[in-house]
Amino acid sequence: LNWLREAEDRKYVRLYDVIVKRFDYLSRQRLLEAMKAESAIPMIQKWHDLGKKVVVFYDFNEGGGFAPFNLGNYKPDGEDPQAFGQLVQDFYAARPDLKDLNTAELPSPLEALLSAFPKAGVYNGRVSKKKRAADMEAFNDDNNKDANLLIVQSAANAGWSAHDKSGKFKRVLINLGLPTAPTKAIQQEGRIYRQGQHPESDSMFVYMNTGTSWERAAFAGTIARRASTAENLAMGEQARGLRDAFIMAFE
């Protein structure tokens, strides 16, 4: 995207405008989660090997893969189609790697994680209450070492507990999304850890970051908008400190 915007004295900036509209916020977030889920798999396996149970929060049930830079037969309204087509061909000749970049093979986070860990429990609105309760019970059972992964859609961030009450299986939480609403993230962290309640429980929280400039922009834009009003009304100075802590951690 940076190349399209800046290369050859901004020759391709018109294509940048078209592609950035197709590659919108939702598309980017889905792609980010799909990328992070793939990278999380060996990390989860490592923690399983160390005797830890893992909870993964994700946002989107849909997959994130597509070919963002292949314009196909796209024809913009109100423009000379021949001139636009030539610009596209020039772009493809200059950057065939971008034309061919296709992440369609990346499954959704849920599909990727279940493929790697078929015994994982799932907690989302598409799973029945009975199945969710059974998966949660198995995860919390110290005698069931095979139920060591719980995959949770982020909307289900309250009303359940996955704490380690005995110290036998320490917990790890991975959040594939962005902690753009700090109080929601704290609620999610509270599913595996409550200070002072189970002092024998030693939990770890992992927020994944691709290091891309557009993830940084998405994080900055949303945390500035969402992490101010409701949290400030409820928590005052604590909310601002919480937001600043997430920003510092992200950086």
Side-chain angles (χ1 to χ4, degrees), residues 51-53 135-148 162-171 198 200-201:
K52 299 176 186 284
K53 291 196 175 190
D135 285 348
M136 189 67 63
E137 184 178 354
F139 184 84
N140 287 329
D141 184 355
D142 279 351
N143 295 315
N144 191 342
K145 65 179 182 179
D146 293 327
N148 53 9
H163 302 101
D164 168 23
K165 297 179 181 179
S166 68
K168 184 174 181 180
F169 293 105
K170 293 180 180 180
R171 305 294 201 247
H198 303 300
E200 68 277 8
S201 179

Side-chain angles (χ1 to χ4, degrees), residues 146-200:
D146 293 327
N148 53 9
L149 178 62
L150 194 62
I151 309 167
V152 184
Q153 193 166 18
S154 58
N157 64 313
W160 55 272
S161 170
H163 302 101
D164 168 23
K165 297 179 181 179
S166 68
K168 184 174 181 180
F169 293 105
K170 293 180 180 180
R171 305 294 201 247
V172 179
L173 184 148
I174 301 177
N175 195 328
L176 299 180
L178 292 173
T180 49
T183 50
K184 180 180 178 182
I186 292 298
Q187 283 181 317
Q188 292 171 341
E189 291 181 5
R191 297 309 94 211
I192 66 166
Y193 177 75
R194 285 179 187 158
Q195 189 173 6
Q197 189 164 346
H198 303 300
E200 68 277 8

Side-chain angles (χ1 to χ4, degrees), residues 33-44 174 176 208 210:
E33 282 206 349
M35 292 163 61
K36 291 176 182 180
E38 288 285 312
S39 296
I41 289 170
M43 298 166 66
I44 293 168
I174 301 177
L176 299 180
M208 301 184 74
T210 59

Side-chain angles (χ1 to χ4, degrees), residues 75-143:
K75 291 182 175 57
D77 295 330
E79 290 190 40
D80 178 355
Q82 188 170 356
F84 185 84
Q86 186 58 55
L87 186 62
V88 171
Q89 292 308 312
D90 291 348
F91 163 52
Y92 288 167
R95 292 298 303 269
D97 57 320
L98 293 183
K99 179 197 174 192
D100 296 335
L101 181 65
N102 189 348
T103 59
E105 75 282 356
L106 281 177
S108 70
L110 186 58
E111 291 170 328
L113 293 171
L114 283 177
S115 176
F117 306 101
K119 294 182 180 179
V122 177
Y123 202 96
N124 64 31
R126 297 181 177 181
V127 177
S128 70
K129 263 189 185 179
K130 184 177 180 181
K131 179 70 165 59
R132 292 200 305 262
D135 285 348
M136 189 67 63
E137 184 178 354
F139 184 84
N140 287 329
D141 184 355
D142 279 351
N143 295 315

Side-chain angles (χ1 to χ4, degrees), residues 1-11 13:
L1 288 170
N2 288 338
W3 187 91
L4 273 173
R5 189 171 51 196
E6 305 294 341
E8 298 183 34
D9 292 328
R10 296 171 62 81
K11 173 181 176 178
V13 72

